[in-house]
Amino acid sequence: MASSQIRLKILPSVRCLFDKLVQVKVEGLAPHKPVQLRSKLVDDRGVVFKASALYKADETGQVDVSCAPSLGGSYTGVEPMGLFWAMAPDTPHNKFTKKNVLSPTLVELEAVNGETGVILASETNEREYMTEGMKRIPLEEGKIRGVLFIPPGKGPFPGIVDLYTFGGGLSEPRASLLASKGFVVLALAYLRYQDLPKSPKNLDLEYFEEGVIYLRSRPEVKGPGIGIISISHSGALALSMSSFLSGISATVCINACNANTAIPLHYKDLVIPPLSPVIENVKITDSGLVHVRDALPDPSLEENRASLMPIERATCQFLFAVAEDDHNWNSAFFANQAAATLRNHGKETFQLVSYPKAGHFLEVPPMPYCPSGFHAAIGSDVLFGGEPKAHSDAQLDLWERVQEFFKSHLDNSSIC
């Protein structure tokens, strides 16, 4: 059969939002013959990510990735989105980067003859971050720096502040995709962005307070309270905002620490020092990566309590998400400690969800899994932990939970 009759289809459309599932099908193949499917994307830093999987055409000469098993390659078994989440960087220790959400991520898919290596068909999936009519507004309001995403439609909508990692800069994909679900989202930078300091001596909670006040004042935002979503280092900032600032109704902390880390945090006359790492607990793996999981001490010990966030003061609802194989730090220990603090103060105002075999960077699905990469606070490549399949499943589950959590606690939110 001539390859011109072979079609690779992406259904329901070649264009979709980044977090949407698609069905990949190949038709017109020789029945029962092997075919390799390949995926490739180039991120905004020029890093190439690839995956491949070997399939066998059925008796009608078709491969439907949503129900046919991969027989080998980057993953095995029935994995409808395997060609996306299993992509790995050509050069190791690189995390997928998307700086410009105004353009889609292009994923090239190819069907290759499993015996000759000849390309039989190809198609490109355009995975977008902005829905039609969404506004993206870069902000330089007073001190605050970031980008505001406003969904199309009449509104008003629930508001969310999105905080990212210690790596700094601004990460917009999660914020824009949350906005596509009907939230006004402020992606708030806090270091290494525009005129914000690269290596500040301390962080001021007043800066984050200004962001909260600004978001709550927007006419598109319905009150009374807003949400916060955070990951890694920013988790403690989210906890401090929830503890000290008014107007917070729902806070998501993904693989966070319940104490301040890296830089002192100031608020009015209060200084919350960072936890001091236990240097002898930092290990080097055989491959030369730094293993920092056990570098931070127990925040509840007397000598460390000044670094603890006083979350017993908070009146909001919390969602703590934990990857059990997080190698960045012991996020399960910290989240359980935070939950115990709330419970000890008579507050059942939290959900704690735990994901076995998942690693540190739980992102919007089907973001490629990042097992290792550069750590801004350490200054070298570190292990982030996890296994690709389990990590992908965790991202899928958590993304749905985050949306449900915000919908249930912000749509009719009450704050103290």
Side-chain angles (χ1 to χ4, degrees), residues 17-79:
L17 271 178
F18 182 86
D19 63 338
K20 289 296 182 223
L21 300 177
V22 289
Q23 184 182 14
V24 178
K25 289 174 82 170
V26 186
E27 297 171 347
L29 297 161
H32 308 296
K33 290 291 187 182
V35 60
Q36 186 188 52
L37 298 186
R38 296 176 185 165
S39 57
K40 174 186 167 185
L41 68 79
V42 182
D43 80 355
D44 284 4
R45 288 182 308 150
V47 178
V48 177
F49 289 75
K50 290 178 183 169
S52 65
L54 187 65
Y55 288 88
K56 187 177 170 185
D58 65 14
E59 65 277 5
T60 67
Q62 180 172 290
V63 169
D64 183 346
V65 175
S66 66
C67 54
S70 163
L71 306 174
S74 303
Y75 60 92
T76 56
V78 178
E79 295 293 343

Side-chain angles (χ1 to χ4, degrees), residues 294-314:
D294 301 314
L296 290 182
D298 181 347
S300 69
L301 296 178
E302 189 61 46
E303 64 267 27
N304 301 323
R305 278 192 195 154
S307 300
L308 264 179
M309 294 303 171
I311 58 170
E312 64 277 0
R313 297 174 47 132

Side-chain angles (χ1 to χ4, degrees), residues 64-396:
D64 183 346
V65 175
S66 66
C67 54
S70 163
L71 306 174
S74 303
Y75 60 92
T76 56
V78 178
E79 295 293 343
M81 293 295 287
L83 288 165
F84 298 87
W85 61 254
M87 282 193 279
D90 271 0
T91 45
H93 321 313
N94 271 301
K95 187 175 180 298
F96 171 81
T97 302
K98 184 62 180 161
K99 292 177 179 172
N100 175 18
V101 295
L102 295 172
S103 66
T105 290
L106 303 179
V107 181
E108 299 169 24
L109 298 174
E110 289 179 343
V112 179
N113 185 307
E115 293 169 342
T116 65
V118 172
I119 296 171
L120 304 171
S122 62
E123 187 59 275
T124 300
N125 184 198
E126 300 177 29
R127 304 189 69 81
E128 298 184 314
Y129 299 86
M130 307 266 295
T131 49
E132 189 82 24
M134 186 189 291
K135 291 182 188 152
R136 177 190 176 276
I137 305 170
L139 287 186
E140 286 187 38
E141 296 279 336
K143 292 192 181 118
I144 63 176
R145 299 290 178 267
V147 171
L148 187 71
F149 292 95
I150 303 172
K154 195 161 181 288
F157 307 96
I160 297 169
V161 174
D162 185 314
L163 301 171
Y164 204 57
T165 67
F166 189 75
L170 193 69
S171 180
E172 300 181 26
R174 184 173 66 187
S176 59
L177 289 163
L178 265 179
S180 77
K181 314 302 178 200
F183 300 97
V184 175
V185 186
L186 169 57
L188 185 62
Y190 62 93
L191 73 170
R192 301 188 185 97
Y193 180 73
Q194 292 182 353
D195 57 353
L196 295 176
K198 283 191 171 63
S199 303
K201 291 189 170 59
N202 58 269
L203 293 173
D204 293 309
L205 195 58
E206 284 88 349
Y207 172 81
F208 300 92
E209 187 170 35
E210 196 176 320
V212 169
I213 291 167
Y214 170 79
L215 183 61
R216 292 182 75 200
S217 73
R218 291 286 308 200
E220 303 91 347
V221 175
K222 74 173 179 187
I226 61 161
I228 308 171
I229 185 166
S230 61
I231 184 170
S232 195
H233 176 264
S234 68
L237 298 173
L239 293 177
S240 69
M241 292 163 72
S242 307
S243 304
F244 292 108
L245 308 183
S246 58
I248 312 296
S249 292
T251 299
V252 175
C253 293
I254 302 167
N255 289 330
C257 180
N258 59 325
N260 189 32
T261 60
I263 308 175
L265 181 66
H266 291 201
Y267 186 52
K268 297 177 179 172
D269 297 329
L270 180 69
V271 177
I272 302 176
L275 282 176
S276 296
V278 183
I279 300 302
E280 55 266 32
N281 287 354
V282 176
K283 309 286 187 234
I284 307 294
T285 67
D286 292 343
S287 60
L289 289 170
V290 184
H291 188 242
V292 294
R293 182 180 184 270
D294 301 314
L296 290 182
D298 181 347
S300 69
L301 296 178
E302 189 61 46
E303 64 267 27
N304 301 323
R305 278 192 195 154
S307 300
L308 264 179
M309 294 303 171
I311 58 170
E312 64 277 0
R313 297 174 47 132
T315 57
C316 65
Q317 294 286 328
F318 289 101
L319 172 60
F320 299 111
V322 167
E324 291 179 20
D325 196 39
D326 185 352
H327 284 221
N328 181 77
W329 53 25
N330 195 341
S331 51
F333 178 82
F334 299 138
N336 280 299
Q337 198 169 84
T341 297
L342 291 169
R343 195 174 277 130
N344 291 342
H345 286 82
K347 296 186 173 185
E348 291 290 336
T349 52
F350 65 88
Q351 301 171 35
L352 198 161
V353 57
S354 191
Y355 297 104
K357 298 181 182 174
H360 185 60
F361 283 111
L362 288 173
E363 301 277 9
V364 177
M367 198 79 77
Y369 155 70
C370 177
S372 59
F374 185 76
H375 192 301
I378 310 296
S380 59
D381 290 331
V382 307
L383 276 173
F384 289 129
E387 296 175 12
K389 162 71 174 149
H391 190 88
S392 162
D393 289 346
Q395 290 189 155
L396 208 54

